[in-house]
Amino acid sequence: MSIITDLENRLLNNDECIETDRFIIRGIWDIKLLYQPNTHERCFKYNVLVVQTIKQGCCYYSGKRIMINDDLIGKDARTILNRHNCYFKIATLDSIYANFDQKCFKEYVLEGNSVIKSIKRAQIITNEIQYFIEEKNINNVKILNIGVVGNIINELVKKGCTVFATDLEPDIVGKKINGVTIENGHDKNNSLIDLCDIILVTGMALATNSLDEIVNRAKSRNKIIIVFAETGSWFGKYYCTNYQIDSVISESFPFYIFEGKSNIRIYRKYIKEVLNEE
């Protein structure tokens, strides 16, 4: 069973008592995104689908814009998950899961403009990676970034890590970002997962139907797997609990690209205590 199907089944069998009104769809946005915060980063060229019940759920996707029917507004989100494609299902499920208990290991609140937040965010992610390097006492660590984020690669390179990277966007495959050549994920993911110690994959892998294979491959070879999720950011607790993902770094909408506050939550497979940091 796929992760997305399992998340849907768990929702339909969830016993948490929450009033039905919290599941009503109040808003849907489909945002065309072109964004590059600094010279270390790629130019992101995506669409962002946002579905709002009480909180927002999101799904990044590329390619042709999807069609959204206006009769979805006011509907119970749980009853219409199969009416549209997987991007709508992911964003809607994400919004629904935001209603459930989401106690995390750490939470950060980033403030300011997107240039500042892009660096802070990358540092939070690389610090989480550093935790596992030290926890597992890994020497000469090799890290694979699946779904390229240039600022994260830059921070890892500065720390002296050996970094590999894959992506599915033809515009950047074959190019170098911060000294790292970007490989085609379809061709290189499996061999690079086998080679590397830590796998950092973005949540968009759920939307490209890649996440199941990546997680299964990594876990079967005892690799550390970390998911950085804007797509499906509210799935973090469930990724760790049910799919044995070591760590999830979740950034819920509104993302760092917008001025103002951004929230980043960290979930771990093994949680000793709950911390809150700003």
Side-chain angles (χ1 to χ4, degrees), residues 111-146:
E111 297 189 64
N113 63 57
S114 60
V115 178
I116 293 171
K117 290 193 292 181
S118 67
I119 301 301
K120 289 182 178 179
R121 185 184 76 147
Q123 291 171 343
I124 289 170
I125 294 165
T126 53
N127 286 342
E128 183 70 358
I129 292 171
Q130 185 66 37
Y131 163 80
F132 283 98
I133 293 172
E134 296 173 1
E135 176 75 9
K136 303 296 183 180
N137 194 27
I138 304 172
N139 296 314
N140 303 314
V141 63
K142 299 181 182 68
I143 299 168
L144 171 60
N145 174 203
I146 300 177

Coordinates of all heavy atoms in Angstrom, one line a residue, residues 111-146:
E111 N 11.3 34.8 11.4 CA 10.7 36.1 11.1 C 11.6 36.9 10.2 O 12.8 36.7 10.2 CB 10.5 36.9 12.4 CG 9.5 36.2 13.4 CD 9.1 37.1 14.5 OE1 8.5 38.2 14.2 OE2 9.4 36.8 15.7
G112 N 11.0 37.8 9.5 CA 11.8 38.7 8.6 C 11.5 38.4 7.1 O 10.5 37.8 6.8
N113 N 12.4 38.9 6.3 CA 12.2 38.8 4.9 C 12.7 37.4 4.4 O 13.4 36.7 5.1 CB 12.9 39.9 4.1 CG 14.4 39.9 4.3 OD1 15.1 38.9 4.0 ND2 14.9 41.0 4.8
S114 N 12.4 37.1 3.2 CA 12.7 35.7 2.7 C 14.1 35.4 2.5 O 14.6 34.3 2.6 CB 11.9 35.5 1.4 OG 12.4 36.4 0.4
V115 N 14.9 36.5 2.3 CA 16.4 36.3 2.1 C 17.0 35.8 3.4 O 17.8 34.8 3.5 CB 17.1 37.6 1.7 CG1 18.6 37.4 1.6 CG2 16.5 38.0 0.3
I116 N 16.6 36.4 4.5 CA 17.1 36.0 5.9 C 16.6 34.7 6.2 O 17.3 33.8 6.7 CB 16.6 37.1 6.9 CG1 17.3 38.4 6.7 CG2 16.9 36.6 8.3 CD1 16.8 39.5 7.5
K117 N 15.3 34.4 6.0 CA 14.7 33.2 6.4 C 15.2 32.0 5.6 O 15.3 30.9 6.1 CB 13.2 33.2 6.3 CG 12.5 34.1 7.3 CD 11.0 34.0 7.4 CE 10.3 34.5 6.2 NZ 8.9 34.3 6.2
S118 N 15.6 32.2 4.3 CA 16.1 31.1 3.5 C 17.4 30.6 4.1 O 17.6 29.3 4.0 CB 16.4 31.6 2.1 OG 17.4 32.5 2.0
I119 N 18.2 31.4 4.7 CA 19.5 31.0 5.3 C 19.2 30.3 6.6 O 19.7 29.2 6.9 CB 20.5 32.2 5.5 CG1 20.8 32.8 4.1 CG2 21.7 31.7 6.2 CD1 21.4 31.9 3.1
K120 N 18.3 30.9 7.4 CA 18.0 30.3 8.7 C 17.4 28.9 8.6 O 17.7 28.0 9.3 CB 17.0 31.2 9.5 CG 17.6 32.5 10.0 CD 16.6 33.3 10.8 CE 17.2 34.6 11.4 NZ 16.2 35.4 12.1
R121 N 16.5 28.8 7.6 CA 15.9 27.5 7.3 C 16.9 26.5 6.9 O 16.9 25.4 7.4 CB 14.8 27.7 6.2 CG 14.0 26.5 5.9 CD 13.1 26.7 4.7 NE 13.8 26.7 3.5 CZ 13.3 26.3 2.3 NH1 12.1 25.9 2.3 NH2 14.0 26.2 1.2
A122 N 17.8 26.8 6.1 CA 18.9 25.9 5.6 C 19.7 25.5 6.8 O 20.2 24.3 6.9 CB 19.7 26.5 4.5
Q123 N 20.0 26.4 7.7 CA 20.8 26.1 8.9 C 20.1 25.1 9.8 O 20.7 24.2 10.4 CB 21.2 27.4 9.6 CG 22.2 28.2 8.8 CD 22.5 29.6 9.4 OE1 21.7 30.1 10.2 NE2 23.5 30.2 8.9
I124 N 18.8 25.3 10.0 CA 18.0 24.4 10.8 C 18.1 23.0 10.3 O 18.3 22.0 11.0 CB 16.5 24.9 10.9 CG1 16.4 26.1 11.8 CG2 15.6 23.8 11.5 CD1 15.1 26.8 11.7
I125 N 17.9 22.9 9.0 CA 18.0 21.6 8.3 C 19.3 20.9 8.4 O 19.5 19.7 8.7 CB 17.5 21.7 6.8 CG1 16.0 22.1 6.8 CG2 17.7 20.4 6.1 CD1 15.6 22.6 5.4
T126 N 20.4 21.7 8.2 CA 21.7 21.1 8.2 C 22.1 20.8 9.7 O 22.8 19.8 9.9 CB 22.8 22.1 7.6 OG1 22.7 23.4 8.2 CG2 22.6 22.2 6.1
N127 N 21.6 21.5 10.6 CA 21.8 21.2 12.0 C 21.2 19.9 12.4 O 21.7 19.1 13.2 CB 21.3 22.3 13.0 CG 22.2 23.5 13.0 OD1 23.4 23.5 12.5 ND2 21.7 24.6 13.4
E128 N 20.0 19.6 11.8 CA 19.3 18.3 12.1 C 20.1 17.2 11.5 O 20.3 16.1 12.1 CB 17.9 18.4 11.5 CG 17.1 17.1 11.7 CD 16.7 16.9 13.2 OE1 17.0 17.7 14.1 OE2 16.0 15.9 13.4
I129 N 20.7 17.4 10.3 CA 21.6 16.4 9.7 C 22.8 16.2 10.5 O 23.2 15.1 10.8 CB 21.9 16.9 8.3 CG1 20.7 16.8 7.3 CG2 23.1 16.0 7.7 CD1 20.9 17.5 6.0
Q130 N 23.4 17.3 11.1 CA 24.6 17.2 11.9 C 24.3 16.4 13.2 O 25.1 15.6 13.6 CB 25.0 18.6 12.3 CG 26.3 18.6 13.1 CD 27.5 18.1 12.3 OE1 27.6 18.4 11.1 NE2 28.4 17.4 12.9
Y131 N 23.1 16.5 13.7 CA 22.7 15.7 14.9 C 22.8 14.2 14.6 O 23.4 13.4 15.4 CB 21.2 16.0 15.3 CG 20.7 14.9 16.2 CD1 21.0 14.9 17.5 CD2 19.8 13.9 15.7 CE1 20.4 13.9 18.4 CE2 19.3 12.9 16.5 CZ 19.6 13.0 17.9 OH 19.1 12.0 18.7
F132 N 22.4 13.8 13.4 CA 22.4 12.3 13.1 C 23.9 11.9 12.7 O 24.3 10.8 13.0 CB 21.5 12.0 11.9 CG 20.1 11.9 12.3 CD1 19.2 13.0 12.2 CD2 19.6 10.8 12.9 CE1 17.9 13.0 12.6 CE2 18.2 10.7 13.3 CZ 17.4 11.8 13.2
I133 N 24.7 12.8 12.2 CA 26.1 12.5 11.9 C 26.8 12.2 13.2 O 27.5 11.2 13.4 CB 26.8 13.7 11.2 CG1 26.2 13.8 9.8 CG2 28.3 13.4 11.1 CD1 26.7 15.1 9.1
E134 N 26.5 13.0 14.3 CA 27.1 12.8 15.6 C 26.5 11.7 16.3 O 27.3 10.9 17.0 CB 27.0 14.1 16.4 CG 27.8 15.3 15.7 CD 27.5 16.6 16.4 OE1 26.8 16.6 17.5 OE2 28.1 17.6 16.0
E135 N 25.2 11.5 16.2 CA 24.5 10.4 16.9 C 25.0 9.1 16.5 O 25.2 8.1 17.2 CB 23.0 10.6 16.8 CG 22.2 9.5 17.3 CD 22.1 9.6 18.9 OE1 22.5 10.6 19.5 OE2 21.6 8.6 19.5
K136 N 25.2 9.0 15.1 CA 25.6 7.7 14.5 C 27.1 7.6 14.4 O 27.6 6.6 13.9 CB 24.9 7.5 13.2 CG 23.4 7.5 13.2 CD 22.8 6.4 14.1 CE 21.3 6.4 14.0 NZ 20.7 5.3 14.9
N137 N 27.8 8.6 14.8 CA 29.3 8.7 14.7 C 29.8 8.3 13.3 O 30.6 7.4 13.0 CB 29.9 7.7 15.7 CG 31.4 7.9 15.9 OD1 31.9 9.0 15.7 ND2 32.1 6.9 16.3
I138 N 29.2 9.1 12.3 CA 29.6 8.8 10.9 C 30.8 9.6 10.5 O 30.8 10.8 10.6 CB 28.4 9.2 10.0 CG1 27.1 8.4 10.4 CG2 28.7 8.9 8.5 CD1 25.9 8.9 9.7
N139 N 31.8 9.0 10.0 CA 33.0 9.6 9.4 C 32.9 9.7 7.9 O 32.3 8.9 7.3 CB 34.2 8.8 9.8 CG 34.4 8.8 11.3 OD1 34.3 9.8 12.0 ND2 34.7 7.6 11.9
N140 N 33.4 10.8 7.4 CA 33.4 11.0 5.9 C 32.0 10.9 5.4 O 31.8 10.1 4.4 CB 34.4 10.1 5.2 CG 35.8 10.2 5.8 OD1 36.3 11.3 5.9 ND2 36.5 9.1 6.0
V141 N 31.1 11.6 6.0 CA 29.7 11.4 5.6 C 29.4 11.8 4.2 O 29.9 12.7 3.6 CB 28.8 12.3 6.6 CG1 29.1 13.7 6.4 CG2 27.3 12.0 6.4
K142 N 28.5 11.0 3.6 CA 28.0 11.3 2.2 C 26.5 11.5 2.4 O 25.8 10.7 2.9 CB 28.3 10.1 1.3 CG 29.8 9.8 1.1 CD 30.0 8.6 0.1 CE 31.4 8.2 0.0 NZ 32.0 7.6 1.2
I143 N 26.0 12.6 1.8 CA 24.6 13.0 1.9 C 24.0 13.1 0.5 O 24.6 13.7 -0.4 CB 24.5 14.3 2.6 CG1 25.1 14.1 4.1 CG2 23.1 14.8 2.7 CD1 25.3 15.4 4.8
L144 N 22.8 12.6 0.3 CA 22.1 12.7 -0.9 C 20.9 13.6 -0.7 O 20.1 13.3 0.1 CB 21.6 11.3 -1.4 CG 20.7 11.3 -2.6 CD1 21.3 12.0 -3.9 CD2 20.2 9.9 -3.0
N145 N 20.8 14.7 -1.5 CA 19.7 15.6 -1.5 C 18.8 15.2 -2.7 O 19.2 15.5 -3.8 CB 20.1 17.0 -1.5 CG 19.0 18.0 -1.6 OD1 19.2 19.2 -2.1 ND2 17.8 17.7 -1.3
I146 N 17.6 14.7 -2.4 CA 16.7 14.4 -3.5 C 15.6 15.5 -3.5 O 14.9 15.6 -2.6 CB 16.0 13.0 -3.3 CG1 17.1 11.9 -3.2 CG2 15.0 12.7 -4.4 CD1 16.5 10.5 -2.9

